[in-house]
Amino acid sequence: MPIKSCSRNNFAKTSMALLFEHRYNVDLLPFVQKDPREREAEDKYNPPFGFRKFSSKVQTLLEILPEHDLPEHLKTKTCRRCVVIGSGGILHGLGLGRALNQFDVVIRLNSAPVEGYAEHVGNKTTIRMTYPEGAPLSDFEYDSNDLFVAVLFKSVDFNWLQAMVKNETLNVPTIGVIAVVLATHLCDEVSLAGFGYDLTQPRTPLHYFNNQCMAAMNWQTMHNVTRETEFLLKLVRAGVVKDLSGGIHCEF
């Protein structure tokens, strides 16, 4: 399945702003910057909405990290195409791997593997996002060219980064939805693959890489997947993002 070249500059951001009006800020920086200027949202709120009380720790971490923005060759590209690849079992058998590798920015989630699954999920990774407590670093497939993004939501995440402790369970957005919103800030055109939960089919594979079934989602309390599905469906129906695998419509 060939992917057309990017041709709609700022399409994702403009569409999100129209769809969500004052709830979406087109000027929001996608990554925390090593910048002395005042960052209103970051300094005004405590986690999960800002870094108040933790600003000094964030700046210390940024001094350690080798990179905290998109690679230069992507930043200078006039029109970027993103694809966010979820972990959904719906990816089995679709053979999307070659098409997914054609995107400028490929975002993967947590420790979802590519080795052994490249035919269906591709093997290109630009950004890998994870909750710090999601999995040990040894579980991740990445090389020196991948941008590794820690998604910090809870105050204890900062403790994890310093002491590697595990946090309590809270209701937070899934890493996938966070990645989708991030993608609208990073790229002009955004596509998704491997997203969607069909809770009416409990025996359907939840992930493409293990034997866990959809029924497992009925027992988790961390994420509101019903609300998130409504959000993603709204984006797809409005044409803001493209669903390459059909799972958001529960076409399992």
Side-chain angles (χ1 to χ4, degrees):
M1 181 177 69
I3 302 296
K4 295 180 180 179
S5 60
C6 182
S7 60
R8 299 179 293 179
N9 295 73
N10 295 318
F11 174 77
K13 280 200 233 184
T14 303
S15 300
M16 288 290 283
L18 289 173
L19 196 60
F20 296 103
E21 297 181 348
H22 303 297
R23 290 177 290 168
Y24 183 88
N25 183 358
V26 296
D27 297 319
L28 187 68
L29 295 174
F31 300 117
V32 178
Q33 299 293 312
K34 190 163 55 177
D35 189 345
R37 69 180 177 83
E38 183 179 355
R39 297 171 298 276
E40 181 181 356
E42 293 175 25
D43 294 334
K44 185 177 180 180
Y45 302 104
N46 288 324
F49 304 110
F51 294 130
R52 194 175 70 171
K53 296 193 302 184
F54 297 101
S55 295
S56 61
K57 290 186 178 182
V58 171
Q59 290 304 311
T60 299
L61 289 170
L62 289 177
E63 292 291 340
I64 298 171
L65 295 174
E67 192 170 25
H68 46 81
D69 206 341
L70 273 183
E72 199 63 35
H73 73 280
L74 288 174
K75 286 169 62 177
T76 57
K77 196 173 179 65
T78 56
C79 190
R80 292 190 294 267
R81 294 154 46 253
C82 275
V83 62
V84 183
I85 303 176
S87 303
I90 194 172
L91 286 170
H92 268 304
L94 294 184
L96 290 176
R98 184 174 297 180
L100 298 176
N101 285 342
Q102 295 178 40
F103 283 85
D104 301 310
V105 176
V106 179
I107 302 175
R108 298 187 189 272
L109 311 175
N110 289 316
S111 56
V114 298
E115 186 175 351
Y117 304 95
E119 180 184 353
H120 305 297
V121 303
N123 55 17
K124 176 180 179 180
T125 304
T126 314
I127 295 173
R128 188 175 285 276
M129 298 178 63
T130 180
Y131 291 123
E133 72 280 7
L137 291 178
S138 59
D139 286 357
F140 290 90
E141 292 180 14
Y142 62 93
D143 59 37
S144 59
N145 295 317
D146 295 351
L147 182 62
F148 191 81
V149 180
V151 181
L152 307 179
F153 258 84
K154 304 159 286 296
S155 60
V156 290
D157 284 341
F158 296 95
N159 294 331
W160 181 93
L161 288 169
Q162 293 185 335
M164 304 292 282
V165 298
K166 194 165 184 174
N167 69 304
E168 71 271 18
T169 299
L170 298 173
N171 190 287
V172 297
T174 62
I175 198 87
V177 164
I178 297 170
V180 172
V181 176
L182 171 65
T184 66
H185 286 282
L186 291 178
C187 291
D188 302 275
E189 298 179 2
V190 177
S191 296
L192 314 177
F195 277 75
Y197 298 102
D198 189 351
L199 301 180
T200 67
Q201 298 190 39
R203 295 185 180 180
T204 300
L206 180 61
H207 301 135
Y208 68 82
F209 52 85
N210 59 27
N211 297 322
Q212 196 169 17
C213 293
M214 198 70 67
M217 295 306 296
N218 291 322
W219 303 104
Q220 65 83 33
T221 59
M222 181 174 285
H223 309 300
N224 189 334
V225 296
T226 301
R227 289 291 301 276
E228 292 196 1
T229 299
E230 293 171 357
F231 169 72
L232 293 176
L233 192 55
K234 183 174 184 177
L235 297 187
V236 172
R237 286 175 173 169
V240 179
V241 302
K242 182 180 292 185
D243 179 15
L244 301 180
S245 53
I248 294 172
H249 293 275
C250 290
E251 296 170 2
F252 287 76

